[in-house]
Amino acid sequence: MATMASAAAASASARRWRWRWKWRTRDAVLALLIASVLAPPLLLYGGAPIAPFSGPILMGSAASGLDLSNLDAFAAVKEPIQTVASDAAALKAGLIQHIVDQSSGIDRGTKDNGMVASVNKKGGVEFTKENGLIDDGKLRENKVRAMRNSSGLNITLNKDHTADRPPEKTTDTTSEDSDIRAISNNTSHSTASPDSTIRVLRDQLKRARTYIGFLSSRGNHGFIKDLRRRMRDIQQALSGATNDKQLPKKYYLSHRYTKFFTVGISDDDLCLVSGVHGRIREMELTLTKVKQVHENCAAIISKLQATLHSTEEQMQAHKQEANYVTQIAAKALPKRLNCLAMRLTNEYYSSSSSNKHFPYEEKLEDPKLQHYALFSDNVLGAAVVVNSTIIHAKTPENHVFHIVTDKLNYAAMRMWFLENSQGKAAIEVQNIEDFTWLNSSYSPVLKQLESQFMINYYFKTQQDKRDNNPKFQNPKYLSILNHLRFYLPEIFPKLNKVLFLDDDIVVQQDLSALWSIDLKGKVNGAIQTCGETFHRFDRYLNFSNPLIAKNFERRACGWAYGMNMFDLSEWRKRNITDVYHYWQEQNEHRLLWKLGTLPAGLVTFWNQTFPLDHKWHLLGLGYKPNVNQKDIEGAAVIHYNGNRKPWLEIAMAKYRKYWSKYVNFDNVFIRQCNIHP
């Protein structure tokens, strides 16, 4: 019996030992399994790997934009978070609340919807209401600590325990914070300009394209991918906007980022993630990182120089193209002006207007009155000159206007001024065809215009190429009206003084004082253009020709045609018309100057020009984009010299108003031709 009892005890002891060994082995296996499950999240969130998400949460107020690239890190560790965290839904709710807060730009010292994050006794996250103002930085810190504690991770905030982290990590964080502060300062811009944000976005796109060209050769595919994503964001923000008001106010999360938010979150909570300024900061942060990686400054400089050179070449090509198109547009007669001339002509011959006479014809040859000479084939231009002069005249009854036009526009010009009374001012409209004395045997310019050389130059189609300046083939240089200004004594034999006006000027003040100016024995009274470097003699005349070099000074001041007081008595004494004929004959083959009446006037009135005060005549409204507004308003006469005449579609809009206010847009003929301001 003792033996049996001893055997039974030994058997029970063996079973107990085997049971203990079995459970010890099971405990070890379970421990290994638990370690294998818990190790990855602990490694992920135990130290530096938390940094990618520290962007939007730990940066505080230093970065107001959300770094969308950091959401990839959260999507990658979605399962570990759900495994470890005791309250994943609360964690996501806190994250969403933080995203919405940052993207909507909540200021420090404001209520965060009255919610304060805390950790309950069970390890979950609770949001409780708190009255009064809450510090935004402290509130964000509480949210982060609550979310971290709820996930079972013992991670302290960088703000409170930076000493516990390795030195290199602290340095990196400090550097990143300083970069963010610098970016925040760099991307801030004035809101006074309506397109200041547009300019910042476009500048960032240019810089990003430049960096992509460098990074592709160095194998930095990660940076390129990030840059391209930022560029798409910026391009989406621009989307054809031309000013800041057209920029979209908010943006939505991409589907690739919404996978993380799957439990208990509505679509409305995910809508707003970043504004325009947030995207600007995101791009600036990416550009700063790329700049730190790419250290080849010499390659950047070389690339930028090549880009600059290419841009300059493109700009020159565009300038030439624009100049060519502008010259073509300047040569064309607008359809509306042609319509006006045709309707006036039809009315003139279909009514009794052809038998009418202008009033005050007795004033036409009175030398005591103030006479104006206007040579034009533009009805509307001539109407503005006469109308603006009479409106500002103190004594309109003393003004006499002599208008000379060609045969084609004679009826239209007469019809306009017969139907539009000019008060007590005298009007005369003449046809240049009636000047029988003006023929090719008397005028060298008429003889030259009939020569085969000039016909080939002006009318041969193969010469109309883009490498030739179409300005030299402008039909106005074929018109004798343009050269009629050199025959004033023959046109007005009984007058002593005449004020010559171009049809592209506007009178803004009374001009009566010009007749009392002493010209000191000179023939021509005009403003000088010494301030303009391209208005000196060497810009108009060919000084490589010995005849020009011998008789004129290369750097002599030019003067302006358009408003000129001519003393016809002195003109006759000095035989100025013969001087003009001499120089025109010498320029038969255009070897002395190329075109126009100004070079001919410079040589004809050499040492015969008296400089007038610049307040009388302001130039440049037909080609200068930056004429001072005060100078325009203070000038007696403003001149639309250049190609961009006020009646053309290519006119500068900001100058057109000074001309259009003297057009009677209620006139029946103007309405019929759809002429409008």
Side-chain angles (χ1 to χ4, degrees), residues 31 36 68 71-72 78 180 190 236 238 267 327 350 353 368 384 390-391 393 396 403 493 508 566 577 635 642:
S36 64
L68 295 179
L71 293 177
D72 289 330
K78 171 184 174 183
I180 294 170
S190 173
Q236 179 187 0
L238 286 171
D267 292 338
Q327 295 290 349
S350 62
S353 299
K368 296 180 181 178
V384 168
I390 293 177
I391 286 177
I403 302 173
Q508 300 186 128
F566 289 108
T577 303

Side-chain angles (χ1 to χ4, degrees), residues 262-404:
T262 57
V263 181
I265 304 299
S266 65
D267 292 338
D268 294 336
D269 294 330
L270 301 179
C271 65
L272 190 60
V273 298
S274 180
V276 174
H277 299 287
R279 294 200 170 190
I280 290 176
R281 293 188 181 93
E282 291 164 8
M283 172 62 90
E284 196 68 33
L285 182 59
T286 303
L287 291 174
T288 302
K289 292 178 180 178
V290 173
K291 180 180 178 182
Q292 293 173 351
V293 170
H294 190 85
E295 300 176 352
N296 193 352
C297 296
I300 294 177
I301 293 173
S302 177
K303 179 73 173 179
L304 292 178
Q305 288 177 342
T307 304
L308 178 61
H309 181 69
S310 175
T311 304
E312 288 177 347
E313 289 183 345
Q314 293 178 7
M315 183 181 66
Q316 287 298 119
H318 287 310
K319 281 185 176 180
Q320 292 178 1
E321 186 75 14
N323 178 61
Y324 183 86
V325 174
T326 302
Q327 295 290 349
I328 296 299
K331 290 165 59 176
L333 177 65
K335 179 180 178 181
R336 295 169 184 172
L337 292 186
N338 183 63
C339 168
L340 178 62
M342 292 300 100
R343 288 185 177 274
L344 288 170
T345 300
N346 181 65
E347 183 68 20
Y348 180 78
Y349 287 114
S350 62
S351 65
S352 60
S353 299
S354 58
N355 298 323
K356 291 182 180 180
H357 297 278
F358 289 101
Y360 312 112
E361 290 185 349
E362 67 278 3
K363 298 180 180 180
L364 297 179
E365 296 182 348
D366 187 352
K368 296 180 181 178
L369 300 179
Q370 299 166 5
H371 295 264
Y372 298 85
L374 178 60
F375 310 139
S376 174
D377 58 359
N378 186 334
V379 176
L380 200 57
V384 168
V385 173
V386 174
N387 189 30
S388 62
T389 304
I390 293 177
I391 286 177
H392 295 287
K394 295 179 179 178
T395 55
E397 62 274 11
N398 293 336
H399 294 262
V400 182
F401 294 89
H402 303 271
I403 302 173
V404 182

Side-chain angles (χ1 to χ4, degrees), residues 481-494:
L481 285 174
N482 206 40
H483 295 265
L484 204 59
R485 64 193 68 187
F486 295 104
Y487 299 101
L488 291 174
E490 287 82 358
I491 300 173
F492 309 112
K494 296 183 179 181

Side-chain angles (χ1 to χ4, degrees), residues 79-89 91 123 147 149-153:
E79 295 301 327
I81 290 178
Q82 292 179 346
T83 302
V84 179
S86 61
D87 195 349
L91 174 63
M147 284 187 284
N149 291 338
S150 68
S151 62
L153 300 178

Side-chain angles (χ1 to χ4, degrees), residues 2 17 28 37 142 162-164 190 259 331 335 339 379 468 477 508-510 568 570 587 631 649 654:
W17 182 86
V37 172
N142 290 337
T162 54
D164 297 338
S190 173
K259 295 178 180 178
K331 290 165 59 176
K335 179 180 178 181
C339 168
V379 176
N468 293 333
Y477 301 118
Q508 300 186 128
Q509 298 177 15
D510 179 44
L568 301 185
E570 291 293 332
N587 194 44
D631 293 340
E649 294 295 333
K654 62 180 179 180

Side-chain angles (χ1 to χ4, degrees), residues 462-481:
Q462 60 263 30
Q463 292 203 7
D464 189 17
K465 299 177 182 178
R466 299 210 169 198
D467 55 348
N468 293 333
N469 191 343
K471 179 179 180 180
F472 297 142
Q473 298 177 346
N474 196 317
K476 74 177 184 178
Y477 301 118
L478 288 170
S479 174
I480 190 59
L481 285 174

